[in-house]
Amino acid sequence: MESVKIGSVGLGRLGYEHAKNLAASIPGCVLHAICNVDTSRLRAVAEELGVPHTYTDFAAMCADPELDGIVIVSPSFLHVEQIKIAMEHGKHVFCEKPLGTNVAQCKEAEKVVEAHPELVFQLGFMRRFDPSYAEAKRRVDAGEIGKVVLVRSCTQDPRSTIESTLKFLPHSGGQFLDMCVHDLDLIRWFTGSNIRNVWAIGGVFEFDLCRELHDTDNAAAMVQCENGAMGFLFANRTHAAGCNVETEIVGTHGTLRIAPVGARNLLQVVDEHGARQEYYPDFMSRWHTAFLAEMQAFTDHIRTGTHPADLTVYDGTAVSEAAYRCKESFETGKMLPIR
Amino acid sequence: MESVKIGSVGLGRLGYEHAKNLAASIPGCVLHAICNVDTSRLRAVAEELGVPHTYTDFAAMCADPELDGIVIVSPSFLHVEQIKIAMEHGKHVFCEKPLGTNVAQCKEAEKVVEAHPELVFQLGFMRRFDPSYAEAKRRVDAGEIGKVVLVRSCTQDPRSTIESTLKFLPHSGGQFLDMCVHDLDLIRWFTGSNIRNVWAIGGVFEFDLCRELHDTDNAAAMVQCENGAMGFLFANRTHAAGCNVETEIVGTHGTLRIAPVGARNLLQVVDEHGARQEYYPDFMSRWHTAFLAEMQAFTDHIRTGTHPADLTVYDGTAVSEAAYRCKESFETGKMLPIR
Amino acid sequence: MESVKIGSVGLGRLGYEHAKNLAASIPGCVLHAICNVDTSRLRAVAEELGVPHTYTDFAAMCADPELDGIVIVSPSFLHVEQIKIAMEHGKHVFCEKPLGTNVAQCKEAEKVVEAHPELVFQLGFMRRFDPSYAEAKRRVDAGEIGKVVLVRSCTQDPRSTIESTLKFLPHSGGQFLDMCVHDLDLIRWFTGSNIRNVWAIGGVFEFDLCRELHDTDNAAAMVQCENGAMGFLFANRTHAAGCNVETEIVGTHGTLRIAPVGARNLLQVVDEHGARQEYYPDFMSRWHTAFLAEMQAFTDHIRTGTHPADLTVYDGTAVSEAAYRCKESFETGKMLPIR
Amino acid sequence: MESVKIGSVGLGRLGYEHAKNLAASIPGCVLHAICNVDTSRLRAVAEELGVPHTYTDFAAMCADPELDGIVIVSPSFLHVEQIKIAMEHGKHVFCEKPLGTNVAQCKEAEKVVEAHPELVFQLGFMRRFDPSYAEAKRRVDAGEIGKVVLVRSCTQDPRSTIESTLKFLPHSGGQFLDMCVHDLDLIRWFTGSNIRNVWAIGGVFEFDLCRELHDTDNAAAMVQCENGAMGFLFANRTHAAGCNVETEIVGTHGTLRIAPVGARNLLQVVDEHGARQEYYPDFMSRWHTAFLAEMQAFTDHIRTGTHPADLTVYDGTAVSEAAYRCKESFETGKMLPIR
């Protein structure tokens, strides 16, 4: 089977990670082109990774007839427009979260995807590709824990990276949009249900700059699903121990926990602090395997002509809707229905 | 220092536990009398534990001039009346939770306690006396985790005891009143704040009898504290692994977790199921040390003429108020302010 | 059933612990007398614990007709002589480890015990009474892990207590006699077999004073049991994390581990050091429950006229023999048969 | 930098794994040729992995001037001969353990390697490349745990794979040579010392076929290092929970443990068996990351003209010597010096 040729747009932190993975670590995949507005960055990455083609214009890259698929890791406000361009050029699309920066954009993306049913469309909810999350999903689907009652999910960013986080904050959309979308996706995925009601709270407990930016440094929300299942999510920017993402799925007959201690490897240290395990230092190292797996899946879908079974454009819309409602709930102090 | 003489009322499951502890395992304490309506049970326990005096009438027991303190483990609706009788006879009082079966009763209890400032009054929030919870509180108070951001607490009853639970259900007041009061107490204790708003959800996921009794088998609530801290509580009656009570206190500089795995001892089993630890089979064994410690504290307060520093009758009222509001929130589907 | 009356000799660190437990925390037991050469210490403890009778002469205490049993926590070289005196006065005896300071003494103790089959004789191998060890033994005996293949046991003393340890070192007999006897007892107990061969090694890795005293600060031994099972023991005086005693029992169908992390309670701390649990600070707190349970067992044996099923004077001899052979093996550099 | 071209010999279970990794997952590396005696297997793998050249004759493959390096995963008795052929053709060599099937062979390999100092020679001690082991080594070297006192290492094979294991048993050399070489390598690596004395014991506890083949199903050895550090190793073929390799490095100031629970991912299951983590099912999945990392290291050494800093042919000899002495010690029942 021939290798698929991928073009990738965006060379920020995550864009570079995807490019590096695509260039060297995904069997069956070739990173054929990259696109970025900063030409010096573009050249440097192309040389380092041995990428044959470079573009500053996204549409020009999409016009390359050799390309099979496009990986979109550009700023969020460009996602929907780029999905459209890529699909209209007949390219399969992988798009990083969020799908769009508002619900109207998401709906537009739905139409584009619906107009090209022959093309693969995959969203960047990489947690689903992490081996522990994937195994949890298999067990839930196999009925091993009975009916899902509660999904609790927390996303904690290391205090040590707060400086760089604060820089991105003004354009991040706030904790609910920036951090909690992954947890909302997991709640929907594990309960197999849409969300009906949300109540979101939070505050600034440490970093005053968050207050000036009308954002929070710690936030939580409880959600009620349409099928009666319950969800709780918590996000903070002040985690001392490193990057931590923990999810618990309580069923009527058993409970699954992913990363109750998010240990970065199998090393245990016993010293004057007790017996301890250290966390992943950042999200990039935490999700390295998942980033590889989602690109492998995208490549395989293209090669085999299949589609992601349960990760569709509609999931992107539903998660965005829920995240916006959480934000609104937090701002108004009201418990709100999703629709 | 002379031993204090205790009279105890109620010989149900927990009443018997307290009686046994008071009779044999609390240095400085003598179980002088027990009171129960069922005379054959009364005689049997008195003989087994070597208790010299027995009563079927509570007021008569309180009239015994030799008694220093009364331990109330009777049905909830009798609590306030018995507190009154005991205190009017000049006895120190330990009362099991809940303080009363409605907020008006709690307010009445407050007045009784206020009228006898010289008498010890202690409530049965035994979790605070568990060594792990007590150490967590010391660390929080010492500022080790910074400002408290979130308290998450869950109470899970073993599936295996569902039969006996269902028997008590009609008189239990429902999951929020029966199970969640302890979690609400912990949220107030660790945040150092009253609760301002609650939203409670839940449902019947397994045991249809719960539905007939207008109760739930799985319930959750999110609360917002007056100082901005957040709380989440979850209760279920369907826990496969045994008795589980887990509490997490997230601070701006660190997190404390009590019983992320509520292992009953230090034994780890490695077999075809993996590496595993087993839970306490029931709440009685889980809290055995705490039950001893709270009775030791009650005894010591009487002997030294001191009062529980931060466990007052007002805590009983505040927790009851919050629990009733959770119940009302669940029933109306609305997010509600406490007052 | 009437309470048993106990007299206790020795008020060192462990002697005081036993006295305190006997005085206040063992149902069915009364601490009737204590004996010590230091009269001011004797009076102080008697007053604190409310012990009615005090003696400086051990034989005089044993002559008290009201006493049922004697608890011996005196210096090791006195053990056998005191067992003899106590039993000849018709008293049940609990004796701390070691049984004697050499094998000849142990043999003498055997004869004394054999001459009084009606009297309870119990040795201070308290680990067997720890809830986790006791549960492990029940599971091994029930065949849950198949045939026992290997018992690995390590005893680690906190670095922080090295000062006080070094004071006792000259009279301790060295690491094999002082620390490893408990591990040797566990190996025999869990394998159900005597030890056939030993090879012991070790050295001074940190505390030069150990070398001057011809002792080690870290030592290990491998043993081969008569039934083919294997044993490994390790002792150190340099443990940074606190008191640690860990035992692993590998069977053909499963493995049991006691205290792979010897966490002092159910608290987990998550901070800049990772997710961690802290150890017991010292052996007294680690074995508190076990010390209570062994005294309860001694009391119950006296009250019910029973004998410890598998904890006899011969275990004391066998463990001492093995420990002496380890010491000899270490000193000669040879692998040695026990007999 | 140009990619290095690798030829690989041997397509057994591990040979296939290496080939697959080399073909697709090692940036900077191309699997240019494979060699195997079974031509149908050879063709099938070449087609599946897209390998352009195939050989049935090892020397013929080595004559290919395009090849930079050879990966040897053939039967052990061929290793030294193939190292010689490859190096005489000027190829860099990666050789799976064991270096040779006796010490004389190892010495011969040493001479070959010494004769070609410009060529990379790397041995297949993949555990050193596992992220947890690598981090442990960095911490030990940085002095974080003080002086190394004891290295304990155990290798446990899943019961479930016993059928396939028993097939290989007649040619495996026995547990000490087949399983314990990795543990002996770790003891030398972490203590930074050669081994001076060994005593090995073991037996057949379950699988009678092992006895017929003069092998064991459970074996242990204690070793004394030249620098005084201690080692203990244990191997069994009867592990119920899956593949388990655990190593503990006790230092004077701290302890490092790799895989006290060798959980295959971050999933924790809570059900009627308690809270549990499941093990890797087999050694292939346990060491997947390490197999990748060692091939990446081999590739990088070739590309950068460097040599493995502390993984030399002499380590292969020293480990083989120690393993043979363990076997001899077990067979004679004697404690033995290495030399």
Side-chain angles (χ1 to χ4, degrees):
Chain A
M1 199 182 292
E2 213 161 322
S3 287
V4 301
K5 292 192 173 128
I6 300 291
S8 188
V9 60
L11 291 173
R13 207 160 48 139
L14 184 52
Y16 173 74
E17 170 84 4
H18 280 313
K20 213 172 61 171
N21 291 342
L22 290 164
S25 304
I26 310 295
C29 165
V30 168
L31 184 58
H32 185 74
I34 51 178
C35 176
N36 201 50
V37 285
D38 176 344
T39 53
S40 71
R41 172 87 174 139
L42 184 66
R43 272 196 304 270
V45 173
E47 188 172 350
E48 182 199 340
L49 303 180
V51 187
H53 304 280
T54 58
Y55 296 89
T56 53
D57 178 57
F58 180 75
M61 179 169 76
C62 291
D64 182 338
E66 286 200 63
L67 282 176
D68 299 294
I70 300 290
V71 166
I72 298 173
V73 209
S74 54
S76 307
F77 69 93
L78 294 172
H79 287 183
V80 176
E81 187 189 326
Q82 292 183 337
I83 292 170
K84 202 173 169 186
I85 294 170
M87 288 201 148
E88 287 175 354
H89 281 87
K91 308 301 186 199
H92 304 284
V93 171
F94 173 94
C95 181
E96 262 305 322
K97 67 102 195 163
L99 179 54
T101 54
N102 54 51
V103 176
Q105 277 196 351
C106 296
K107 295 285 184 186
E108 208 183 315
E110 288 182 4
K111 276 183 207 148
V112 176
V113 173
E114 284 165 1
H116 300 88
E118 77 288 4
L119 296 175
V120 174
F121 178 80
Q122 189 177 325
L123 261 170
F125 288 136
M126 80 289 182
R127 290 186 187 175
R128 299 190 183 193
F129 293 87
D130 174 79
S132 307
Y133 280 91
E135 183 178 334
K137 177 65 171 167
R138 279 193 300 274
R139 287 173 179 254
V140 167
D141 288 351
E144 291 187 23
I145 61 166
K147 200 184 295 183
V148 173
V149 168
L150 172 78
V151 176
R152 175 176 66 80
S153 193
C154 85
T155 300
Q156 298 180 283
D157 277 352
R159 294 176 65 82
S160 55
T161 62
I162 189 65
E163 290 298 318
S164 69
T165 302
L166 290 178
K167 263 182 265 171
F168 289 98
L169 224 57
H171 308 290
S172 74
Q175 278 197 291
F176 294 106
L177 287 165
D178 187 39
M179 299 177 70
C180 300
V181 284
H182 288 294
D183 302 301
L184 288 164
D185 177 56
L186 293 175
I187 290 171
R188 291 182 71 255
W189 194 44
F190 283 121
T191 62
S193 173
N194 274 315
I195 293 168
R196 178 186 290 149
N197 293 304
V198 305
W199 181 37
I201 55 181
V204 176
F205 290 80
E206 177 108 356
F207 299 116
D208 289 337
L209 188 55
C210 292
R211 192 177 289 111
E212 293 168 29
L213 298 167
H214 304 288
D215 199 357
T216 50
D217 57 19
N218 280 271
M222 188 166 77
V223 310
Q224 189 177 33
C225 293
E226 292 184 355
N227 71 356
M230 302 175 270
F232 176 71
L233 50 93
F234 173 64
N236 80 1
R237 305 192 189 277
T238 52
H239 198 240
C243 172
N244 188 41
V245 171
E246 178 187 347
T247 302
E248 180 179 44
I249 308 137
V250 181
T252 48
H253 285 70
T255 291
L256 300 174
R257 284 181 187 156
I258 300 111
V261 172
R264 69 175 177 229
N265 56 30
L266 292 169
L267 184 66
Q268 184 185 64
V269 180
V270 183
D271 60 13
E272 66 273 21
H273 304 297
R276 59 197 178 88
Q277 288 196 287
E278 294 180 5
Y279 286 71
Y280 284 96
D282 48 40
F283 86 96
M284 211 64 101
S285 54
R286 169 63 183 92
W287 303 109
H288 177 66
T289 308
F291 287 137
L292 287 173
E294 69 177 357
M295 282 305 155
Q296 189 66 64
F298 182 53
T299 297
D300 293 348
H301 282 307
I302 296 176
R303 295 177 95 187
T304 59
T306 57
H307 291 270
D310 64 349
L311 177 47
T312 69
V313 68
Y314 307 107
D315 292 307
T317 307
V319 165
S320 292
E321 273 184 323
Y324 276 101
R325 281 309 229 184
C326 283
K327 187 172 152 75
E328 191 183 341
S329 170
F330 167 68
E331 287 166 356
T332 61
K334 289 183 181 161
M335 189 267 279
L336 296 175
I338 290 292
R339 285 189 187 92
Chain B
M1 199 182 289
E2 212 161 324
S3 288
V4 301
K5 290 191 173 130
I6 301 292
S8 187
V9 60
L11 292 173
R13 207 160 48 137
L14 183 52
Y16 173 74
E17 170 83 4
H18 280 313
K20 214 171 60 168
N21 289 342
L22 290 163
S25 303
I26 310 295
C29 165
V30 168
L31 183 59
H32 185 74
I34 50 177
C35 175
N36 203 49
V37 285
D38 176 343
T39 52
S40 71
R41 173 82 175 142
L42 184 65
R43 271 196 304 270
V45 173
E47 188 171 351
E48 183 199 339
L49 303 179
V51 187
H53 304 279
T54 60
Y55 296 89
T56 53
D57 179 57
F58 180 74
M61 180 169 77
C62 291
D64 181 337
E66 287 200 62
L67 281 176
D68 298 293
I70 300 292
V71 167
I72 298 174
V73 208
S74 53
S76 307
F77 70 93
L78 294 172
H79 287 182
V80 176
E81 186 190 327
Q82 291 183 338
I83 292 169
K84 202 172 170 188
I85 294 170
M87 287 201 147
E88 286 174 353
H89 281 87
K91 308 303 185 196
H92 304 284
V93 170
F94 174 94
C95 181
E96 261 307 320
K97 67 99 198 168
L99 179 54
T101 54
N102 54 51
V103 177
Q105 275 195 354
C106 295
K107 296 285 184 186
E108 207 183 316
E110 288 183 1
K111 278 185 206 145
V112 175
V113 173
E114 284 166 359
H116 300 89
E118 77 287 3
L119 295 176
V120 174
F121 179 79
Q122 189 176 326
L123 261 171
F125 288 136
M126 79 292 183
R127 289 186 189 176
R128 299 190 183 194
F129 294 88
D130 174 78
S132 306
Y133 280 93
E135 183 179 334
K137 177 64 171 166
R138 278 193 301 274
R139 286 172 178 254
V140 168
D141 288 352
E144 291 186 22
I145 61 166
K147 201 185 294 182
V148 173
V149 168
L150 171 79
V151 177
R152 175 177 66 81
S153 193
C154 86
T155 300
Q156 297 180 284
D157 277 353
R159 293 176 64 82
S160 56
T161 61
I162 188 67
E163 290 298 318
S164 70
T165 302
L166 289 178
K167 264 184 263 171
F168 288 99
L169 224 57
H171 309 290
S172 73
Q175 278 196 288
F176 295 106
L177 288 164
D178 188 38
M179 299 177 72
C180 300
V181 285
H182 288 294
D183 301 302
L184 289 164
D185 177 55
L186 294 175
I187 290 171
R188 291 183 71 254
W189 194 45
F190 284 120
T191 62
S193 173
N194 274 315
I195 293 167
R196 177 187 289 150
N197 292 305
V198 304
W199 181 37
I201 56 181
V204 176
F205 290 79
E206 177 110 358
F207 299 117
D208 289 338
L209 189 54
C210 292
R211 193 177 289 111
E212 293 169 30
L213 298 167
H214 304 288
D215 199 358
T216 49
D217 56 19
N218 280 270
M222 188 166 77
V223 310
Q224 188 176 33
C225 292
E226 292 184 354
N227 71 356
M230 301 175 270
F232 176 71
L233 50 93
F234 173 63
N236 81 0
R237 305 191 189 278
T238 52
H239 198 241
C243 173
N244 188 40
V245 171
E246 177 187 347
T247 302
E248 180 179 43
I249 307 136
V250 180
T252 48
H253 285 70
T255 290
L256 300 174
R257 285 183 187 155
I258 301 111
V261 172
R264 70 175 179 229
N265 57 30
L266 292 169
L267 185 65
Q268 183 185 63
V269 181
V270 183
D271 61 13
E272 67 273 22
H273 304 297
R276 59 195 177 89
Q277 287 197 285
E278 294 180 6
Y279 285 72
Y280 284 96
D282 49 38
F283 86 96
M284 211 64 103
S285 53
R286 169 63 184 92
W287 303 109
H288 178 66
T289 308
F291 287 137
L292 287 172
E294 69 176 359
M295 283 304 155
Q296 189 66 62
F298 182 53
T299 297
D300 293 349
H301 282 307
I302 297 176
R303 294 177 93 187
T304 58
T306 56
H307 291 271
D310 64 350
L311 177 46
T312 70
V313 68
Y314 306 107
D315 292 307
T317 307
V319 166
S320 292
E321 272 184 325
Y324 274 101
R325 282 307 231 184
C326 283
K327 187 172 152 74
E328 191 183 340
S329 170
F330 167 68
E331 287 167 355
T332 61
K334 291 184 181 161
M335 189 267 280
L336 297 175
I338 289 293
R339 281 188 189 95
Chain C
M1 199 183 291
E2 213 161 323
S3 288
V4 301
K5 290 191 172 130
I6 301 292
S8 187
V9 61
L11 291 174
R13 206 159 48 138
L14 184 52
Y16 173 74
E17 169 84 4
H18 279 314
K20 213 172 58 168
N21 289 342
L22 289 164
S25 303
I26 310 295
C29 165
V30 168
L31 183 60
H32 184 75
I34 52 177
C35 175
N36 202 50
V37 285
D38 175 344
T39 53
S40 72
R41 172 86 175 140
L42 183 66
R43 270 196 304 270
V45 173
E47 187 171 350
E48 183 200 338
L49 303 180
V51 187
H53 303 279
T54 60
Y55 296 89
T56 52
D57 180 58
F58 180 74
M61 179 169 78
C62 291
D64 182 338
E66 287 199 64
L67 281 177
D68 298 292
I70 300 291
V71 167
I72 298 174
V73 208
S74 54
S76 307
F77 70 92
L78 294 171
H79 287 182
V80 176
E81 187 190 326
Q82 291 183 339
I83 292 169
K84 200 173 171 187
I85 294 170
M87 287 201 147
E88 285 175 354
H89 280 88
K91 308 302 186 198
H92 304 285
V93 170
F94 173 96
C95 181
E96 261 307 321
K97 67 100 199 168
L99 179 54
T101 54
N102 54 51
V103 177
Q105 275 195 355
C106 295
K107 296 285 184 188
E108 207 184 315
E110 287 182 2
K111 277 184 205 146
V112 176
V113 173
E114 285 166 0
H116 300 89
E118 78 287 4
L119 296 175
V120 174
F121 178 79
Q122 189 176 325
L123 262 170
F125 288 136
M126 79 290 181
R127 289 185 188 176
R128 299 190 184 194
F129 294 88
D130 173 78
S132 306
Y133 280 91
E135 182 179 334
K137 177 65 170 168
R138 279 193 301 273
R139 286 172 178 254
V140 168
D141 288 352
E144 290 186 23
I145 60 166
K147 199 185 294 182
V148 173
V149 168
L150 171 78
V151 177
R152 174 175 67 80
S153 194
C154 85
T155 300
Q156 297 180 282
D157 277 352
R159 293 176 64 83
S160 56
T161 62
I162 189 67
E163 290 298 318
S164 69
T165 302
L166 289 178
K167 264 183 263 171
F168 288 99
L169 224 58
H171 309 290
S172 74
Q175 278 197 290
F176 295 106
L177 288 165
D178 187 37
M179 298 178 71
C180 300
V181 285
H182 288 294
D183 301 302
L184 289 164
D185 178 55
L186 293 176
I187 290 171
R188 292 182 70 255
W189 195 44
F190 283 120
T191 62
S193 173
N194 274 316
I195 292 167
R196 178 187 289 149
N197 292 307
V198 303
W199 181 36
I201 56 180
V204 175
F205 290 78
E206 176 109 358
F207 299 117
D208 289 338
L209 189 55
C210 291
R211 193 178 289 110
E212 294 170 30
L213 297 168
H214 304 288
D215 199 357
T216 50
D217 56 20
N218 280 270
M222 188 167 76
V223 310
Q224 188 175 35
C225 292
E226 292 183 355
N227 71 356
M230 302 175 270
F232 176 70
L233 50 92
F234 172 64
N236 82 1
R237 306 191 188 279
T238 51
H239 198 242
C243 173
N244 188 40
V245 172
E246 178 186 346
T247 302
E248 180 179 43
I249 307 136
V250 180
T252 47
H253 284 70
T255 290
L256 300 174
R257 285 183 187 155
I258 299 109
V261 172
R264 70 175 179 228
N265 56 30
L266 293 169
L267 185 66
Q268 184 186 61
V269 180
V270 183
D271 60 14
E272 66 273 22
H273 305 297
R276 59 196 178 89
Q277 287 198 286
E278 294 180 5
Y279 285 72
Y280 284 95
D282 49 39
F283 87 96
M284 212 61 104
S285 53
R286 169 64 184 91
W287 303 109
H288 178 66
T289 308
F291 287 138
L292 287 172
E294 70 176 359
M295 283 304 156
Q296 189 66 62
F298 183 53
T299 297
D300 293 349
H301 282 307
I302 296 176
R303 295 176 93 187
T304 59
T306 56
H307 290 270
D310 63 350
L311 177 46
T312 70
V313 68
Y314 307 107
D315 292 307
T317 306
V319 166
S320 292
E321 273 184 323
Y324 275 102
R325 281 308 230 184
C326 284
K327 188 172 152 75
E328 191 183 340
S329 169
F330 166 69
E331 288 167 355
T332 61
K334 291 182 181 163
M335 190 268 281
L336 296 174
I338 289 293
R339 281 188 188 93
Chain D
M1 199 182 292
E2 214 161 323
S3 287
V4 303
K5 292 194 173 125
I6 301 291
S8 188
V9 60
L11 291 174
R13 206 159 49 137
L14 183 52
Y16 173 74
E17 170 84 3
H18 280 313
K20 213 172 59 170
N21 290 342
L22 290 163
S25 304
I26 311 294
C29 166
V30 168
L31 184 59
H32 184 76
I34 51 178
C35 175
N36 202 49
V37 287
D38 175 343
T39 52
S40 71
R41 171 87 175 137
L42 183 65
R43 271 196 304 270
V45 173
E47 188 172 351
E48 183 199 339
L49 303 180
V51 187
H53 303 279
T54 60
Y55 296 89
T56 53
D57 179 56
F58 181 75
M61 180 169 76
C62 291
D64 182 337
E66 285 200 63
L67 280 176
D68 299 292
I70 300 291
V71 166
I72 299 174
V73 208
S74 54
S76 308
F77 70 93
L78 294 172
H79 287 182
V80 176
E81 187 190 326
Q82 292 183 337
I83 292 169
K84 202 172 170 188
I85 294 169
M87 288 200 147
E88 287 175 352
H89 281 86
K91 307 302 185 197
H92 304 284
V93 170
F94 174 95
C95 181
E96 261 306 320
K97 67 100 197 168
L99 179 54
T101 55
N102 55 50
V103 177
Q105 276 196 352
C106 296
K107 296 284 185 190
E108 208 183 316
E110 288 182 2
K111 276 183 207 148
V112 176
V113 173
E114 286 166 359
H116 300 87
E118 78 288 3
L119 296 176
V120 174
F121 179 79
Q122 188 177 326
L123 262 170
F125 289 136
M126 79 291 182
R127 290 185 188 177
R128 299 189 183 194
F129 294 86
D130 174 78
S132 306
Y133 280 92
E135 182 178 335
K137 177 64 170 168
R138 279 193 301 274
R139 287 173 178 254
V140 168
D141 288 352
E144 291 187 22
I145 62 167
K147 200 184 294 184
V148 172
V149 168
L150 171 78
V151 176
R152 174 176 67 80
S153 192
C154 85
T155 300
Q156 298 181 283
D157 277 352
R159 294 176 65 82
S160 55
T161 61
I162 189 66
E163 290 298 318
S164 70
T165 302
L166 289 177
K167 262 182 266 173
F168 289 98
L169 225 56
H171 309 289
S172 74
Q175 278 197 290
F176 295 107
L177 288 164
D178 187 38
M179 298 177 70
C180 300
V181 285
H182 288 294
D183 302 301
L184 289 164
D185 177 55
L186 293 176
I187 290 171
R188 292 182 70 254
W189 194 45
F190 283 120
T191 62
S193 172
N194 275 315
I195 293 168
R196 177 186 289 147
N197 293 305
V198 303
W199 181 37
I201 55 181
V204 176
F205 290 79
E206 177 106 356
F207 299 116
D208 289 338
L209 188 56
C210 291
R211 192 177 290 108
E212 293 168 31
L213 298 168
H214 304 289
D215 199 357
T216 50
D217 55 19
N218 281 270
M222 188 167 76
V223 310
Q224 188 175 34
C225 292
E226 292 184 355
N227 71 354
M230 302 176 270
F232 176 71
L233 50 93
F234 172 64
N236 82 0
R237 305 191 189 279
T238 52
H239 198 241
C243 172
N244 188 41
V245 171
E246 178 187 347
T247 302
E248 181 179 44
I249 307 137
V250 180
T252 48
H253 285 70
T255 290
L256 299 175
R257 286 181 187 156
I258 300 111
V261 172
R264 70 175 176 228
N265 56 30
L266 292 169
L267 184 66
Q268 183 186 62
V269 180
V270 183
D271 60 13
E272 66 273 22
H273 305 297
R276 60 198 177 87
Q277 288 197 286
E278 293 180 6
Y279 286 71
Y280 283 96
D282 48 39
F283 87 96
M284 211 63 101
S285 53
R286 169 64 183 93
W287 303 109
H288 177 66
T289 308
F291 287 137
L292 287 173
E294 69 177 358
M295 283 305 154
Q296 189 67 63
F298 183 53
T299 297
D300 293 348
H301 282 307
I302 296 176
R303 295 178 93 188
T304 59
T306 57
H307 291 271
D310 63 349
L311 178 47
T312 70
V313 68
Y314 307 107
D315 291 307
T317 307
V319 165
S320 292
E321 272 185 324
Y324 275 102
R325 281 309 229 183
C326 284
K327 188 172 150 75
E328 190 183 342
S329 169
F330 167 68
E331 287 166 357
T332 61
K334 290 184 181 161
M335 190 267 281
L336 296 174
I338 289 292
R339 284 191 186 90

